[in-house]
Amino acid sequence: MDLSTTYLGMKLRSPIIPAASPLAEEIDNICMMEDAGAAAVILPSLFEEQLLSESNSLHHHLSYGTDSSPEALSYFPDPADLNLGPEEYLKLIQQAKVTVDIPIIASLNGDTDGGWVNYARQIENAGADALELNIYAIQTNMNLSGEEVEAEYVNIVKNVRSCTSLPLAVKLTPFFTNLGNMAKRIVEAGADALVLFNRFQQPDIDLKNLSLYPHYLPSRPFENRLPLTWIGILYKRLAVDFAAVRGLETAEDVLKMLMVGANVTMMASAIYKNGIHHIRTVEQDLARWMEENEYSSIAQMRGSMSQLNCEDPSAFERTQYIRTATTHLPVLP
Ligand SMILES: Cc1cc2nc3c(=O)[nH]c(=O)nc-3n(C[C@H](O)[C@H](O)[C@H](O)COP(=O)(O)O)c2cc1C
């Protein structure tokens, strides 16, 4: 059974990769990921400004939330120990490179033009195999047009592309008026892969204390319909690799993403919930399904259910919406 795939110019042993999260801040966890069969590791984002405490409190809420298994909890250090500044981050890359054999993909969340470029160079010098740009910004400035925001995204990719020869992945939000156009411009600006999609955290209100707090909700399976739809639409229309992320937990989820055209699949919530060994379980289930259904390689199934290749291309578009919106569902008594 050939589970290998290619991503960012690298040949990977399987399509299963832990998504960027503070789990990979610990070298022991990176080793456990490799032992569990992870095809590569995405490091947590290096944040140019001090968004770190926010990110770590997110990690804390998830790690110690009711959805985590006791076994999974043992992986997690206290959030106070997790602040990785640029120097520690570069050291982590170097340490990971000498400790494990799988590719190490760094992740960067910049704030200024200079910051993106400067850190991208340093990450390359530290020996990372590739770089994922996590462009995470919630726009609250009403005077900024959509066009200006999009130009900013394209600029970041162009600037980073011009300063590093590392393979470049760009993790995008789905919130663009014309996502296909945005994806095309990001690819033209130099991205080698699109990671679809990142997930914004929204605050909740604590009614007892009347305060806002960053209550983290692990993603739910239905959320993977979004990357499934968009990878299915963009596959072969753009000369770029695709990573599917958001709401993936099982081998079935992985299979569906590969069938619409993903090169690789990524998971964060599912690994927090089930533990790092979950990677191995998904791989075994994936291989079993392929054997039972007479597939001998990932390459054989990749893109078979994309919009270009599926029997009913309208399933990805408006006609399908009308079809489902006009279907009567049974009303519960
Ligand atoms: C605790 C936690 C921390 C995360 N930190 C990062 C990060 O540093 N950089 C990033 O690009 N994504 C980060 N993510 C987002 C994940 O990489 C992923 O995109 C998102 O959780 C959706 O995948 P999932 O449905 O498998 O959880 C984080 C997610 C979690 C749960």
Side-chain angles (χ1 to χ4, degrees):
M1 180 68 58
D2 180 7
L3 294 184
S4 71
T5 183
T6 55
Y7 182 58
L8 291 170
M10 301 179 278
K11 182 160 185 192
L12 303 182
R13 61 174 300 280
S14 93
I16 307 163
I17 300 180
S21 87
L23 272 183
E25 248 176 33
E26 298 287 310
I27 204 75
D28 287 353
N29 285 347
I30 294 179
C31 292
M32 283 165 76
M33 288 170 181
E34 181 177 54
D35 290 345
V41 166
I42 319 283
L43 299 183
S45 298
L46 169 62
F47 292 94
E48 184 181 345
E49 7 124 76
Q50 273 311 6
L51 288 173
L52 277 164
S53 53
E54 202 178 286
S55 153
N56 289 336
S57 92
L58 191 68
H59 175 72
H60 184 75
H61 281 286
L62 183 61
S63 312
Y64 299 91
T66 48
D67 281 343
S68 294
S69 68
E71 184 189 6
L73 287 185
S74 64
Y75 296 127
F76 306 125
D78 190 273
D81 301 331
L82 289 170
N83 275 348
L84 276 196
E87 273 178 33
E88 290 102 322
Y89 195 88
L90 299 174
K91 272 193 205 136
L92 176 68
I93 296 174
Q94 288 162 348
Q95 206 188 349
K97 281 304 295 169
V98 295
T99 313
V100 294
D101 292 326
I102 50 177
I104 299 297
I105 303 175
S107 166
L108 179 57
N109 182 302
D111 189 41
T112 60
D113 287 350
W116 285 103
V117 166
N118 178 20
Y119 288 123
R121 277 204 195 107
Q122 294 190 47
I123 283 171
E124 179 167 21
N125 292 339
D129 294 288
L131 177 60
E132 184 174 289
L133 301 182
N134 170 24
I135 312 182
Y136 183 115
I138 295 182
Q139 281 303 340
T140 52
N141 178 355
M142 279 186 275
N143 296 317
L144 209 58
S145 70
E147 210 172 325
E148 287 168 293
V149 174
E150 292 182 2
E152 183 57 27
Y153 270 72
V154 173
N155 253 340
I156 291 169
V157 180
K158 272 190 191 154
N159 286 341
V160 174
R161 178 70 294 162
S162 66
C163 80
T164 169
S165 55
L166 283 178
L168 205 58
V170 177
K171 195 170 187 182
L172 280 182
T173 163
F175 302 125
F176 292 103
T177 306
N178 185 349
L179 180 69
N181 174 265
M182 195 60 211
K184 179 168 170 274
R185 287 161 61 199
I186 296 277
V187 173
E188 286 165 357
D192 303 298
L194 297 175
V195 184
L196 305 180
F197 290 102
N198 62 14
R199 194 165 177 261
F200 291 153
Q201 300 307 320
Q202 290 106 15
D204 201 352
I205 296 176
D206 176 346
L207 285 174
K208 204 163 145 213
N209 298 314
L210 288 184
S211 60
L212 286 168
Y213 69 110
H215 177 59
Y216 182 78
L217 292 173
S219 48
R220 300 285 179 224
F222 66 84
E223 293 185 46
N224 67 40
R225 299 278 187 103
L226 200 58
L228 186 141
T229 302
W230 277 104
I231 294 173
I233 290 172
L234 298 177
Y235 175 72
K236 283 270 160 106
R237 293 209 166 100
L238 295 174
V240 72
D241 290 347
F242 292 101
V245 60
R246 203 193 262 200
L248 278 72
E249 179 161 7
T250 64
E252 285 79 9
D253 299 332
V254 170
L255 281 158
K256 291 174 191 176
M257 297 300 160
L258 298 170
M259 286 182 183
V260 290
N263 296 70
V264 293
T265 57
M266 297 177 179
M267 298 177 192
S269 299
I271 295 179
Y272 274 99
K273 185 174 147 200
N274 302 299
I276 290 174
H277 60 82
H278 183 63
I279 298 167
R280 175 71 62 206
T281 310
V282 175
E283 182 182 320
Q284 286 167 347
D285 292 349
L286 177 68
R288 192 174 315 115
W289 188 96
M290 286 173 63
E291 202 176 326
E292 283 167 10
N293 292 275
E294 296 175 7
Y295 283 92
S296 55
S297 71
I298 298 285
Q300 202 186 344
M301 72 172 73
R302 197 172 154 245
S304 56
M305 299 295 286
S306 63
Q307 192 179 29
L308 287 181
N309 293 331
C310 68
E311 271 179 23
D312 178 12
S314 73
F316 284 93
E317 289 177 2
R318 184 177 150 78
T319 19
Q320 183 65 8
Y321 170 66
I322 297 171
R323 227 176 281 160
T324 47
T326 52
T327 303
H328 289 282
L329 293 178
V331 181
L332 294 177

